[in-house]
Each structure stands twice: as structure tokens, then as C-alpha cells.
């Protein structure tokens, strides 16, 4: 599963840099870039073992409640999961851009979202730092 997710991430980043370099060059918001990444990811996952999973951006729900770590509300940038349950949370990604590379809080958030201390227990997590060119994109698997 890890290899599949890594391949989907790689292909989606390739598409983002091949098709949306204008947005990257003009330093549009992280959310906008993440939205395009999600579009490519969903296209690539259609014929895979995870085709039945949901992809969501800025998904802040835990059932009908707010998604929390401790008392803090969280809004994971990108998740692959099954809506309505925490039994099958597959992947969580936090994005940063080269003009805002401080991802220390993101790494802690990702670790917590994978931790058995909290109810989410994502199986895989990574931080992606987008750069001006595809070659320098930094993916940190947690």
C-alpha cells in the first residue's frame, strides 16, 4: 500500500508541475495548489486498490463533530479516508510552499493524526513542501 500511495503522490505532483506551473510561478495560495493536486490524485487512484476511498481537502469533521487534537480544531490539508468512520483512515498530507517552509507544526500534527492516542490513526502521513520546480519538491514521510 505504501508503494501505491507514494506512486500516486509522485504522479500527482508531476501533473501539478506539468499542467499548473503558471499557478506555482505566481505563488498562488497553498490551498489552490493542494486543490489541483487532489484533482490529479483522484484521477490516478480511479483504477487502483483504493478507488473506493474518499479524497477530501481541509476536511474538519469527525462524524458530525469538529476534528480535534486535544482541544485544538484541526483542518488536515488532504486526506484519503472513508467518510463517516475512523476505522479506515489511509493517508493524510500537509502542504507548504517554498515561501512558507516552516512545517514543524505540520509534522507534529501528522504524528498525532497517526498516533494511537487519538481516534484518527491514519496509516500513512507526509509533509510536502512545494518548490519552484518539481525536482526540488521535498516529501517527508512521517
Amino acid at each position: 500500500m505504501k508503494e501505491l500511495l507514494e506512486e500516486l503522490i509522485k504522479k500527482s505532483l508531476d501533473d501539478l508541475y506539468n499542467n499548473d506551473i503558471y499557478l506555482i510561478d505566481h505563488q498562488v495560495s497553498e490551498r489552490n495548489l493542494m486543490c489541483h493536486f487532489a484533482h490529479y490524485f483522484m484521477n490516478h487512484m480511479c483504477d487502483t486498490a483504493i478507488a473506493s476511498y474518499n479524497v477530501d481537502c481541509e476536511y474538519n469533521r469527525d462524524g458530525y463533530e469538529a476534528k480535534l487534537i486535544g482541544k485544538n480544531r484541526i483542518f488536515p490539508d488532504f486526506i484519503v479516508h472513508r467518510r463517516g468512520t475512523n476505522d479506515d483512515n489511509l493517508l493524510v498530507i500537509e502542504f507548504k510552499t517554498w515561501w512558507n517552509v516552516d512545517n514543524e507544526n505540520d509534522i507534529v500534527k501528522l504524528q498525532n493524526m497517526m498516533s494511537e492516542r487519538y481516534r484518527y490513526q491514519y496509516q500513512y502521513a507526509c509533509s510536502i513542501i512545494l518548490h519552484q520546480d518539481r525536482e526540488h519538491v521535498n516529501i517527508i514521510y512521517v
Side-chain angles (χ1 to χ4, degrees):
M1 182 62 67
K2 181 180 180 186
E3 294 80 19
L4 170 61
L5 294 172
E6 288 175 353
E7 183 65 21
L8 292 172
I9 290 167
K10 178 190 171 301
K11 286 180 177 180
S12 302
L13 286 169
D14 290 346
D15 286 350
L16 179 68
Y17 279 83
N18 287 333
N19 300 325
D20 298 304
I21 196 67
Y22 175 90
L23 300 173
I24 294 164
D25 287 344
H26 287 83
Q27 298 183 1
V28 300
S29 74
E30 169 190 304
R31 288 180 181 158
N32 182 273
L33 296 170
M34 177 187 55
C35 171
H36 290 278
F37 172 89
H39 168 78
Y40 299 126
F41 191 96
M42 287 186 290
N43 285 342
H44 289 299
M45 71 182 258
C46 286
D47 296 323
T48 70
I50 64 168
S52 64
Y53 280 76
N54 303 110
V55 171
D56 285 299
C57 297
E58 298 285 332
Y59 194 78
N60 66 337
R61 295 287 106 189
D62 180 13
Y64 290 105
E65 303 298 321
K67 197 175 281 268
L68 302 170
I69 295 290
K71 293 183 180 184
N72 297 318
R73 289 177 184 237
I74 58 171
F75 303 82
D77 289 343
F78 174 93
I79 59 176
V80 179
H81 65 136
R82 294 194 194 277
R83 293 180 188 134
T85 180
N86 283 313
D87 295 335
D88 208 1
N89 289 331
L90 188 59
L91 172 67
V92 57
I93 301 175
E94 289 294 321
F95 287 86
K96 288 290 186 216
T97 53
W98 75 90
W99 63 89
N100 179 24
V101 296
D102 182 16
N103 70 339
E104 290 178 27
N105 290 336
D106 285 351
I107 298 295
V108 171
K109 183 196 310 188
L110 292 169
Q111 290 169 336
N112 284 329
M113 293 187 75
M114 294 178 71
S115 171
E116 292 181 11
R117 293 182 306 175
Y118 298 101
R119 61 193 300 136
Y120 311 114
Q121 298 178 16
Y122 281 83
Q123 296 173 47
Y124 304 96
C126 68
S127 168
I128 297 177
I129 300 173
L130 302 171
H131 284 270
Q132 290 172 296
D133 57 74
R134 173 67 179 94
E135 179 182 333
H136 292 98
V137 170
N138 189 11
I139 304 172
I140 302 164
Y141 290 95
V142 178

